[in-house]
Amino acid sequence: MKRKTRMWSNLSAKIASVPMLVTAIGVFVLCVVYSIALSFTRSRYFPKFDFIGFDQYVRLWTTDRWTVSVSNLLIFGLLFVGFCLLLGFLLAVMLDRNIRMEGVFRTTFLYPYALSFVVTGLIWQWMMDPALGIQNVVRNMGWESFSFAPLTSTTYAIYGVVIAAVWQGTGLIMCLMLAGLRGVDREIWKAARVDGIPLWRTYIFIIIPMIRPVIVTSVVLLSISVVRVYDLVVAQTGGGPGIATEVPAKFVIDHFTERGNVAIAMAAATMMLLPVLLLVGPWVYNEYVRRVRA
Amino acid sequence: MKTSRIALFASALMCSTAFSAQAAELEVIHWWTSGGEQAAVSLLAKEFDANGQDSWRDSAIAGGEQARAVVMQRILGGDAPQAAQFNNSRQFEELAEADLLLDLSDLAKKEKWRDVVRPKSILDPCEIDGKIYCVPVNIHSDQWLWTNKAIYKEVGLEEPQSWQDVIDQAGKIRDAGYIPLAVGGQGWQEDLTFDDVFMGVGGKELWNKVYVDRDEDAAKSPEVAKVFETYGKLRDLTDEGSAGRNWNDTTSLVINGKAAVQAMGDWARGEFVLAGKKAEVDYGCVPGPSRHPVLTTGGDIFIFPKQDDPEVEAAQLRLASMLLSPDVQVKFNTAKGSSPVRGDVNMASADPCMQKGLALLNDDENIALPKNAILSSDTDGRIQDLVSQFWNTPSMTVADVQDQFAAILQDGS
């Protein structure tokens, strides 16, 4: 093949980036604007631009199902991110102590991540079913008063969802953390040992600050799966019992489809976008705008 | 290399259009996935394939809500299936208004649907702006109690004839080691049980005042309070495993002698038949429960999203015609446990439970429109959310839930 001139390769690079550019502007900007515009209308299944102001937002925030969804997202988000980081880190530390059969453990812990959320949801639905699952097994072993059926209670059901999600997500975090730990210079360990610093202090005060980029990546990955959590809830609880495990994404999709109320779905979607903008906006400003000025 | 890639892309495009133009194969989306339902729908598929020129491509999607969502999205996205199941309701109204559905008026006139379909109100939701957009295939009513006869015999009780009976008998049945009332803890099932309680305790007149007339005073009346109160009392009658349970798994509790009663639509009968049980011998069916049972005439219909290909359109009309033909009506509804939508077919082969339903259908006095044919999907869904929340939150007061109930009915369309 003939060597291409610089201009040509530039051109093909430009052509190649056109689809992405179109997608970025078309999907991320225009569609967001379109969705926000729809949230101020009375659209049902089909877009209709009869603006009615903030009515949909008023209804949204006076609807129990939405407020429950929002508080569920907060509970789920904090616990899911927290436990995944903690357990992922602990597992990674244990694997990093040069244990035997590390490969077996690593694969076993990572395996849940290979399952889709739907499969995870169904597995845990059965495990938490009082007549089939863990409770039944333990009771059959003789512990008659044992009780573990979070999904049957409106108070605890959301924690049942958290358990399933943590079970699935921890393996990936463990792998990321393990890679981070393996990247730490062996000399650091030697130096710490020479100075007589206890193991736990070495981890907390030396190693954790050193693998900070890995932790940030993990938090970003986990946060993304928090905001879009949908399939897990649909498979595991269907939002129930009652409305106890509803989440915002499910509210949006249900109203967008089955309920035939696109306007309120878009109002809810806009509310989901707000915190993302509030978090990402300052970051983008910090990373790009301010740095360029400086 | 670049050109070959473009050629590949172009040929891929052509292939995809070539496939969609394949005539006379109709993709039918439905949510008939339980054992009894599958037996019924495969009858339809077999019958349709038997006409020699068409074929039925089965797209079963578990769960009505999911199936309808897929159909909506595919129609709006320009990839419409050739036929789709909906409930006999307002669920597809906007599709018809937006002119996305095949107009069946000519076929309906030719085959005199208006005359053969019974009760007449069954065809009403299909008619939008004077045109017929759907084919009703069966009548399902929600107001049925399914009982396990053996349990009642063992405990020494009569089958319940009212909701009060169900509540009064619960203690004895519980003591004998059975679940007094099996409820599947999914929103729509809790809502269906609520509808049964509403009809059984409140009656048809109250139903029409509250839902059809949107009478605010009626919605806030002590009669509706009594409905919520009775409904709330049923919470204690079910079992721990109720949360999230599918309706057919709940029915098997009754079939297998673990629960005495389930309130479920008449489609539950299919599960009993599939399990080899005999109506009024092994299992009982109580309409209502009420001494003056009123049935809501819900059911399933098929819509036919508009297609560009006249050949496909002709096949869609053939399918529509077949679905309403007397022979198919009898076979299908016998298998499914629903009532046929035409009165001029011979249902002598129907079992005692179906006969009870057919007898009730003959008098308009015993018939009311189901909630989802009266309310928009949005409002219907809000009621379902509220009812489900009330069912699962024993601390919620009747006054509180009733206020919200009345407010939604005033606010929604």
Side-chain angles (χ1 to χ4, degrees):
Chain A
M1 229 188 269
K2 229 169 69 181
R3 208 152 191 246
K4 285 168 189 162
T5 65
R6 176 164 281 198
M7 205 184 81
W8 269 108
S9 64
N10 256 349
L11 187 68
S12 63
K14 276 172 197 159
I15 292 173
S17 61
V18 163
M20 192 54 219
L21 202 71
V22 171
T23 317
I25 294 177
V27 174
F28 294 116
V29 180
L30 288 181
C31 286
V32 166
V33 172
Y34 186 61
S35 303
I36 295 176
L38 279 179
S39 73
F40 294 103
T41 69
R42 212 181 284 132
S43 303
R44 289 159 67 203
Y45 276 115
F46 300 106
K48 204 167 36 175
F49 288 97
D50 50 344
F51 291 97
I52 53 163
F54 281 91
D55 284 14
Q56 302 290 1
Y57 290 88
V58 173
R59 182 180 142 190
L60 187 66
W61 284 103
T62 50
T63 302
D64 282 352
R65 180 168 163 188
W66 173 254
T67 49
V68 168
S69 297
V70 171
S71 77
N72 276 344
L73 191 71
L74 291 178
I75 297 172
F76 178 83
L78 285 175
L79 292 178
F80 172 65
V81 174
F83 275 103
C84 275
L85 284 179
L86 184 71
L87 295 176
F89 180 72
L90 289 178
L91 287 175
V93 166
M94 286 181 221
L95 285 184
D96 197 38
R97 302 313 297 171
N98 291 326
I99 55 157
R100 252 202 272 174
M101 297 201 300
E102 184 199 313
V104 174
F105 284 108
R106 210 174 42 204
T107 314
T108 313
F109 292 142
L110 190 59
Y111 235 96
Y113 193 72
L115 301 177
S116 73
F117 264 132
V118 174
V119 176
T120 307
L122 285 176
I123 291 174
W124 281 95
Q125 185 194 47
W126 291 332
M127 300 254 268
M128 292 173 181
D129 186 317
L132 301 170
I134 298 172
Q135 174 175 314
N136 186 40
V137 171
V138 175
R139 281 191 185 176
N140 283 347
M141 287 190 309
W143 185 358
E144 293 288 328
S145 61
F146 178 80
S147 163
F148 179 73
L151 298 186
T152 62
S153 136
T154 46
T155 322
Y156 298 115
I158 188 68
Y159 302 108
V161 179
V162 171
I163 291 174
V166 168
W167 176 80
Q168 205 220 26
T170 301
L172 177 75
I173 303 305
M174 176 205 72
C175 278
L176 289 173
M177 296 269 193
L178 190 59
L181 291 177
R182 292 278 150 87
V184 172
D185 193 344
R186 290 285 136 185
E187 296 299 315
I188 304 262
W189 282 108
K190 282 182 196 155
R193 212 170 306 144
V194 169
D195 287 345
I197 305 173
L199 197 59
W200 65 271
R201 292 193 64 153
T202 317
Y203 270 116
I204 292 177
F205 294 108
I206 300 171
I207 303 299
I208 289 186
M210 286 187 73
I211 60 167
R212 194 171 149 257
V214 176
I215 298 177
V216 172
T217 309
S218 307
V219 171
V220 170
L221 285 177
L222 292 172
S223 307
I224 290 171
S225 54
V226 167
V227 178
R228 64 176 189 199
V229 63
Y230 168 76
D231 31 8
L232 178 66
V233 171
V234 169
Q236 199 182 358
T237 65
I243 54 171
T245 53
E246 291 288 348
V247 285
K250 187 165 176 292
F251 185 97
V252 173
I253 292 177
D254 282 356
H255 282 80
F256 188 77
T257 54
E258 166 75 10
R259 297 287 166 87
N261 191 337
V262 166
I264 201 166
M266 290 306 115
T270 307
M271 295 315 304
M272 285 175 73
L273 183 68
L274 266 187
V276 176
L277 285 185
L278 287 179
L279 289 175
V280 173
W283 180 74
V284 170
Y285 178 79
N286 197 29
E287 289 287 307
Y288 298 101
V289 183
R290 227 173 53 177
R291 240 174 236 182
V292 170
R293 272 194 202 153
Chain B
M1 228 170 81
K2 224 182 278 171
T3 43
S4 72
R5 220 175 282 164
I6 291 170
L8 200 74
F9 181 64
S11 65
L13 260 181
M14 278 191 289
C15 276
S16 67
T17 47
F19 273 121
S20 62
Q22 203 169 60
E25 188 192 59
L26 304 190
E27 183 186 1
V28 186
I29 296 186
H30 60 84
W31 62 86
W32 287 323
T33 51
S34 84
E37 292 171 338
Q38 252 171 9
V41 75
S42 57
L43 266 174
L44 291 182
K46 220 189 277 166
E47 196 77 24
F48 189 55
D49 288 347
N51 78 4
Q53 44 188 333
D54 306 317
S55 63
W56 169 296
R57 185 146 60 88
D58 202 69
S59 269
I61 297 172
E65 296 182 0
Q66 277 75 21
R68 290 192 294 273
V70 168
V71 172
M72 283 290 181
Q73 290 308 305
R74 283 189 48 184
I75 293 178
L76 295 185
D79 174 32
Q82 283 77 42
Q85 177 198 4
F86 271 81
N87 286 125
N88 198 345
S89 69
R90 287 177 61 183
Q91 285 157 353
F92 51 91
E93 157 190 273
E94 222 179 325
L95 291 174
E97 282 165 3
D99 203 25
L100 291 166
L101 301 181
L102 183 64
D103 177 9
L104 306 170
S105 305
D106 291 340
L107 181 71
K109 207 188 262 169
K110 203 176 91 194
E111 299 187 345
K112 300 196 171 57
W113 290 3
R114 272 279 165 213
D115 300 328
V116 294
V117 170
R118 162 244 43 168
K120 302 236 173 286
S121 60
I122 275 285
L123 210 52
D124 289 348
C126 286
E127 189 176 324
I128 294 161
D129 298 331
K131 291 179 183 163
I132 305 276
Y133 287 102
C134 67
V135 192
V137 290
N138 57 8
I139 301 170
H140 272 305
S141 40
D142 296 345
Q143 290 72 21
W144 292 91
L145 275 192
W146 302 92
T147 66
N148 183 311
K149 292 260 187 194
I151 293 181
Y152 279 93
K153 207 168 161 197
E154 186 196 316
V155 182
L157 289 169
E158 288 289 309
E159 281 184 335
Q161 296 299 323
S162 68
W163 282 106
Q164 198 53 51
D165 288 354
V166 174
I167 295 168
D168 292 343
Q169 296 174 345
K172 258 190 161 173
I173 295 171
R174 178 80 79 194
D175 290 344
Y178 303 109
I179 305 163
L181 174 72
V183 179
Q186 294 173 338
W188 72 269
Q189 296 185 62
E190 290 155 356
D191 193 39
L192 183 144
T193 309
F194 175 72
D195 283 356
D196 289 5
V197 174
F198 197 119
M199 221 37 129
V201 175
K204 178 179 169 180
E205 205 181 320
L206 187 67
W207 177 277
N208 283 339
K209 262 194 202 158
V210 169
Y211 291 125
V212 181
D213 307 339
R214 302 290 176 91
D215 183 339
E216 198 177 359
D217 292 334
K220 287 182 170 167
S221 66
E223 285 81 22
V224 171
K226 182 141 187 284
V227 171
F228 276 109
E229 228 165 77
T230 313
Y231 181 63
K233 279 183 197 161
L234 301 179
R235 289 184 192 119
D236 299 333
L237 271 52
T238 188
D239 61 312
E240 207 191 5
S242 162
R245 188 166 54 206
N246 288 323
W247 72 267
N248 46 335
D249 297 333
T250 311
T251 310
S252 19
L253 291 178
V254 179
I255 296 176
N256 298 328
K258 292 193 174 124
V261 165
Q262 180 193 16
M264 187 41 63
D266 50 14
W267 53 89
R269 185 191 148 277
E271 299 299 301
F272 287 96
V273 172
L274 206 70
K277 302 287 178 187
K278 274 190 100 109
E280 297 295 1
V281 178
D282 302 315
Y283 68 95
C285 46
V286 183
S290 164
R291 280 173 228 292
H292 304 286
V294 175
L295 303 181
T296 53
T297 51
D300 301 297
I301 57 99
F302 276 93
I303 55 158
F304 301 89
K306 269 196 178 156
Q307 309 283 328
D308 303 330
D309 191 339
E311 254 176 77
V312 174
E313 196 169 291
Q316 286 176 314
L317 290 174
R318 281 196 289 276
L319 178 59
S321 166
M322 182 208 90
L323 290 171
L324 209 58
S325 68
D327 185 39
V328 170
Q329 277 289 308
V330 174
K331 279 192 205 159
F332 172 74
N333 284 302
T334 309
K336 186 149 191 313
S338 45
S339 307
V341 293
R342 42 197 306 165
D344 57 352
V345 294
N346 182 5
M347 289 297 285
S349 59
D351 69 24
C353 281
M354 285 178 79
Q355 300 291 4
K356 275 192 200 177
L358 288 168
L360 284 168
L361 282 180
N362 281 331
D363 187 352
D364 281 347
E365 276 300 298
N366 309 325
I367 288 170
L369 276 179
K371 220 164 53 181
N372 60 3
I374 309 171
L375 309 175
S376 68
S377 307
D378 186 34
T379 309
D380 190 28
R382 285 166 85 183
I383 301 273
Q384 180 186 312
D385 284 346
L386 178 69
V387 166
S388 179
Q389 191 186 0
F390 176 66
W391 174 263
N392 288 288
T393 319
S395 59
M396 202 169 172
T397 64
V398 170
D400 184 15
V401 68
Q402 197 179 359
D403 275 348
Q404 293 190 44
F405 177 74
I408 290 171
L409 285 172
Q410 285 307 303
D411 177 51
S413 58

